[in-house]
Amino acid sequence: CQTGEVAADPQLYDQSYLSPVTIGNSELMLDFDTGSADLWCFSTESPAVQSAGHGLYNPSTGTELDGAFWDITYGDQSAASGNVFADKVVVGGVTATKQAIEAATSVSYEFTEDVASDGLLGLAFSSINTILPQPQTTFFDTVRNTLAKAVFTVDLKKGAAGSYTFGYIDSSKYSGAITYVPVNTANGFWQFTADGYSGGGNNASTGRGGVAIADTGTSLLYLPASVAKGYYSGVQGASFDFRQGGYTLPCSATPPDFNVAIGGKTFTVPGSYINYAPLRAGSSTCFGGIQADSGIGFSIFGDVFLKAVYAIFDDSGSSPKLGFAAQ
Ligand SMILES: N#Cc1c(N)n[nH]c1N1CCCC1
């Protein structure tokens, strides 16, 4: 019965969180992403002009999955593709002896430029893994039956190292009770329903909740347009900036706290988390941590929300469920 814990190291402005993973005999820093289901990494097969500065997986320790290939495009239009090997993966002491490793042979500039990240470790449901002709399992699905309990937990923090655990819930990481809600896996995400919102301007009226996904691979909190608009209506100097493609506010502002009702419990995102980051180095205008989810089709509870709670991704029962507790 395996259990393990690995650090989640924040990148600049908590844009993403990276964790050390041993693949074959390479240690790489991967972005654990509950919003996708591919484990891919830069490799010795990646063109040098794309992989400069990144840690590389050397497939010589693996076994090629003949005829298998992968190609993923994320919501932000970043993309990667390549071929597939089976190799040993260790995360915080939890070992998958034969995990599908998606070695990149091509990546878009967003990944090339993010030199701290050597790839992604998807933790959504394996139904949306992009390997063809036969999708493969995520790391969590591969090790699930060897874990003491088929769960993983997410403890992200603002500007500090947090952690992911596999196989157990760490009672020292939260206070009060855990509130569980059912998960709808139809779209391959950890999808749930939020009951309502409050806080900010005209109190971003409660009762108007909606469908949302818990997504560690997204930096911000994307909410219904009316909720985002209502929230910023109470923030002096905030406005929707078409050129920036979202709400901005003065970096000097301390926005109000934002409350989310889930499973009948209220979770609070401190206002300081919503003054996200300067538009560019030295700017006195900052990009908001809450943005509208227009065009996405559901809300995205990314890192701005997740770093305010302890989150339990539980697939140990008859159907998956999400748990949230105060940090
Ligand atoms: N867009 C987007 C996105 C998402 N919703 N979850 N993870 C994402 N990415 C991981 C690496 C790049 C984008």
Side-chain angles (χ1 to χ4, degrees), residues 2-323:
Q2 301 195 85
T3 62
E5 179 175 28
V6 69
D9 294 334
Q11 300 311 296
L12 184 63
Y13 303 120
D14 300 345
Q15 181 264 337
S16 64
Y17 293 79
L18 303 181
S19 299
V21 177
T22 302
I23 306 180
N25 53 25
S26 317
E27 176 166 301
L28 303 178
M29 292 301 284
L30 301 185
D31 177 357
F32 286 20
D33 180 11
T34 60
S36 66
D38 286 46
L39 195 175
W40 72 262
C41 49
F42 283 90
S43 74
T44 50
E45 297 180 325
S46 311
V49 68
Q50 293 183 2
S51 66
H54 291 272
L56 306 179
Y57 165 63
N58 184 331
S60 63
T61 56
T63 306
E64 180 150 21
L65 233 54
D66 288 339
F69 62 94
W70 60 281
D71 188 336
I72 191 164
T73 301
Y74 297 96
D76 64 2
Q77 300 315 302
S78 60
S81 59
N83 48 21
V84 188
F85 298 83
D87 210 336
K88 179 177 167 184
V89 172
V90 184
V91 176
V94 174
T95 298
T97 50
K98 281 181 70 179
Q99 171 64 38
I101 309 295
E102 302 173 39
T105 57
S106 176
V107 303
S108 63
Y109 73 89
E110 295 89 347
F111 294 114
T112 295
E113 286 176 3
D114 184 3
V115 292
S117 171
D118 302 324
L120 268 79
L121 188 144
L123 291 168
F125 292 92
S126 300
S127 58
I128 57 172
N129 174 264
T130 73
I131 294 174
L132 290 175
Q134 177 58 45
Q136 301 296 308
T137 52
T138 64
F139 170 76
F140 177 61
D141 264 353
T142 303
V143 299
R144 222 179 72 129
N145 299 329
T146 68
L147 295 176
K149 185 176 170 65
V151 302
F152 64 91
T153 75
V154 176
D155 181 22
L156 302 181
K157 295 185 180 306
K158 181 173 185 340
S163 65
Y164 294 95
T165 72
F166 289 87
Y168 72 105
I169 295 167
D170 184 341
S171 55
S172 72
K173 289 185 164 58
Y174 67 92
S175 60
I178 298 174
T179 298
Y180 285 98
V181 288
V183 164
N184 175 344
T185 64
N187 298 315
F189 301 121
W190 291 87
Q191 183 178 309
F192 65 102
T193 298
D195 304 330
Y197 308 102
S198 66
N202 50 21
N203 222 338
S205 66
T206 57
R208 246 209 319 270
V211 173
I213 68 168
D215 185 359
T216 56
T218 288
S219 312
L220 308 182
L221 173 52
Y222 293 86
L223 297 169
S226 58
V227 174
K229 182 171 186 235
Y231 176 79
Y232 288 109
S233 70
V235 180
Q236 191 77 23
S239 65
F240 187 87
D241 182 334
F242 283 91
R243 286 184 27 195
Q244 298 303 327
Y247 287 94
T248 63
L249 70 165
C251 295
S252 57
T254 304
D257 294 350
F258 182 72
N259 307 304
V260 182
I262 302 173
K265 181 95 172 37
T266 295
F267 298 92
T268 299
V269 179
S272 59
Y273 292 17
I274 300 162
N275 202 328
Y276 175 64
L279 296 183
R280 67 192 66 76
S283 171
S284 62
T285 302
C286 278
F287 202 65
I290 286 175
Q291 296 294 339
D293 64 14
S294 310
I296 299 175
F298 43 79
S299 296
I300 301 185
F301 282 38
D303 301 336
V304 161
F305 173 79
L306 291 170
K307 56 188 163 184
V309 298
Y310 183 56
I312 296 93
F313 293 70
D314 185 325
D315 200 6
S316 67
S318 53
S319 67
K321 60 186 183 181
L322 267 171

